[in-house]
Amino acid sequence: MPRNKSLYPATAFAALLLLAGCGSDTPVAPPPPDPCDARCDYIAMDSPVDRAALDARIEPLFSDPAQAETRALVIMRYGKPVAERYAPGYSADTPLISWSMEKSVTAVLIGMLVADGRLKLDDPAPIAEWQSPGDPRRNITLRHLLHMASGLDHTEGLDPAEPGEIYDGDTVCMLFLDGADDMARYAESRPMEARAGEKFEYSSATTVILADIIARELTDSKNPRVRMEAVRRFAYGRLFEPLRMNSAKIEFDRAGTMIGGSIMHATARDWAKFGEFLRNGGSIGGAQLIPRKWIEFMRTPSPTNAVYGGHIWLNARAGADGLPILFPDEAPATTFAALGHLGQYVIVSPEQGLTVVRLGKTPDEGRQAARDQLGRIVNLFPVR
């Protein structure tokens, strides 16, 4: 797969140049001190909100023990940086783990293969092992997988309830225990517990199946190195390089399958570039990398969960468990987000021209406080 090197837009984080006094002997007065104090690394001069109010809402993400710990925050509005801050020990150059935010990246790569005509949303998923007559898994489509409604017996649980208990969730077993060498085989071999399309079951194992489908479409080889290289060329050539996500690093298992549901690393600035790409409907610098209809599909509620679309979270009022995932009282209903374990967020609000990235390590008991604070930040910005 050739790399596309003609689609590189100028980065939104280009240095601000002061062009004054050229060709004149008149002394140029120094710029006034930045009113943003040392707690905030950068707030743009054209910020549409009061700086003090914004900084007051950013500060608790870094100082409130109930929300600990935020490691990076980047706010973009219509492609321009508004605010950026890092915890001690982290910087704009620090790649941070995505956890499940990578699921949305995998969905975009699947969409590119659909746009290429290599996959179809409502055809049976191209897993040869599922195609035997009478195997109910042959009814699983790409759409079912993207909506987390495959019907496979997957359990996402990450932690045992009590110390010493055995992990009973597929995610830990697949990532770190008996399924780690060949994650796709582990995920694809699970039996059905419901009819395809009938039940929402959030599952990293489902996204590993999608990652395996990407590799199968790009190469017929079973050689792990060949599979890895085919997927790496595709992901970087079609997505990361055009977006100039230079820090992005995807990981693979020993079978050469991308761990498509987690583990990818990138800087907060590069995650903001991905959010801006989604906000712009799959385009960057005037180039449409993926059809807008695919991004619209990702942002459309799935039949089995109002807060989940095509591998992305939505700002609906109630999900499968009756609880919102984002903040429907603070942000427009069109807001959506890539979310990850321990408080990773790429929040996109097209009506506000907004992308907010928050990366950190926040246990479940602090997630609601951090989420609510992000909602308050988003709520500061006007709707155009």
Side-chain angles (χ1 to χ4, degrees):
M1 181 64 59
R3 295 186 179 187
N4 188 339
K5 295 188 177 181
S6 65
L7 303 177
Y8 287 7
T11 174
F13 292 96
L16 297 174
L17 300 180
L18 178 62
L19 301 178
C22 295
S24 170
D25 294 330
T26 304
V28 178
D34 191 334
C36 177
D37 65 24
R39 293 174 298 170
C40 186
D41 293 321
Y42 180 74
I43 290 186
M45 296 300 293
D46 61 352
S47 174
V49 300
D50 179 79
R51 294 183 182 198
L54 179 57
D55 193 35
R57 297 197 183 187
I58 290 173
E59 177 62 27
L61 287 173
F62 291 86
S63 62
D64 181 1
Q67 302 178 39
E69 62 182 84
T70 298
R71 296 173 174 176
L73 180 76
V74 171
I75 302 175
M76 304 282 291
R77 190 167 188 264
Y78 292 107
K80 296 181 180 180
V82 170
E84 183 174 12
R85 184 173 171 185
Y86 298 92
Y90 301 91
S91 74
D93 298 321
T94 306
L96 293 166
I97 194 166
S98 65
W99 292 113
S100 288
M101 293 196 308
E102 188 184 358
K103 290 179 171 67
S104 300
V105 174
T106 299
V108 167
L109 297 177
I110 286 285
M112 290 176 170
L113 290 172
V114 171
D116 292 348
R118 302 168 86 159
L119 293 172
K120 293 185 179 180
L121 260 179
D122 293 309
D123 280 359
I127 305 295
E129 294 80 356
W130 292 354
Q131 305 311 316
S132 300
D135 190 331
R137 296 174 300 179
R138 69 187 303 182
N139 296 318
I140 300 172
T141 66
L142 207 61
R143 188 187 300 270
H144 294 143
L145 293 168
L146 288 161
H147 283 161
M148 294 291 185
S150 69
L152 292 167
D153 184 13
H154 288 158
T155 301
E156 182 68 1
L158 290 172
D159 301 306
E162 301 291 340
E165 260 192 302
I166 297 174
Y167 288 96
D168 62 355
D170 289 319
T171 303
V172 171
C173 292
M174 181 183 68
L175 290 177
F176 307 115
L177 301 175
D178 50 319
D181 287 347
D182 191 341
M183 297 184 190
R185 182 175 63 182
Y186 179 94
E188 292 160 6
S189 66
R190 301 294 295 169
M192 299 288 281
E193 65 174 3
R195 289 185 299 178
E198 183 179 74
K199 176 186 177 184
F200 177 83
E201 184 78 43
Y202 182 81
S203 162
S204 293
T206 296
T207 314
V208 167
I209 295 172
L210 290 169
D212 182 40
I213 289 171
I214 293 171
R216 291 178 187 234
E217 289 303 311
L218 296 175
T219 177
D220 293 329
S221 176
K222 303 294 185 184
N223 184 295
R225 289 187 177 275
V226 174
R227 284 166 55 88
M228 288 171 58
E229 187 57 28
V231 173
R232 188 179 283 117
R233 285 199 309 267
F234 182 75
Y236 284 85
R238 295 286 293 272
L239 184 62
F240 299 141
E241 288 178 0
L243 296 187
R244 301 191 81 175
M245 291 180 65
N246 299 324
S247 69
K249 183 177 181 181
I250 51 178
E251 301 287 351
F252 296 81
D253 69 8
R254 291 186 180 180
T257 302
M258 180 177 71
I259 308 172
S262 59
I263 310 299
M264 174 182 158
H265 288 72
T267 64
R269 288 181 175 184
D270 278 355
W271 281 115
K273 294 172 188 176
F274 181 67
E276 284 292 288
F277 163 76
L278 296 176
R279 183 182 68 80
N280 286 309
S283 69
I284 187 76
Q288 196 72 39
L289 302 187
I290 191 171
R292 296 184 70 88
K293 285 187 177 296
W294 184 262
I295 305 301
E296 291 170 7
F297 160 74
M298 289 178 64
R299 293 175 53 192
T300 300
S302 64
T304 52
N305 192 344
V307 302
Y308 200 77
H311 261 48
I312 208 155
W313 294 96
L314 310 176
N315 198 31
R317 186 156 299 280
D321 59 0
L323 298 174
I325 296 295
L326 296 177
F327 18 76
D329 294 325
E330 302 285 352
T334 53
T335 303
F336 60 94
L339 304 180
H341 181 52
L342 297 176
Q344 321 314 317
Y345 291 84
V346 176
I347 301 162
V348 180
S349 177
E351 291 184 50
Q352 296 165 287
L354 201 63
T355 293
V356 178
V357 175
R358 186 270 189 184
L359 304 174
K361 185 181 179 183
T362 305
D364 287 346
E365 57 267 24
R367 285 287 297 276
Q368 182 170 342
R371 182 197 67 193
D372 290 348
Q373 192 65 28
L374 288 167
R376 295 183 189 104
I377 290 171
V378 171
N379 186 255
L380 273 177
F381 290 83
V383 174
R384 277 192 184 176

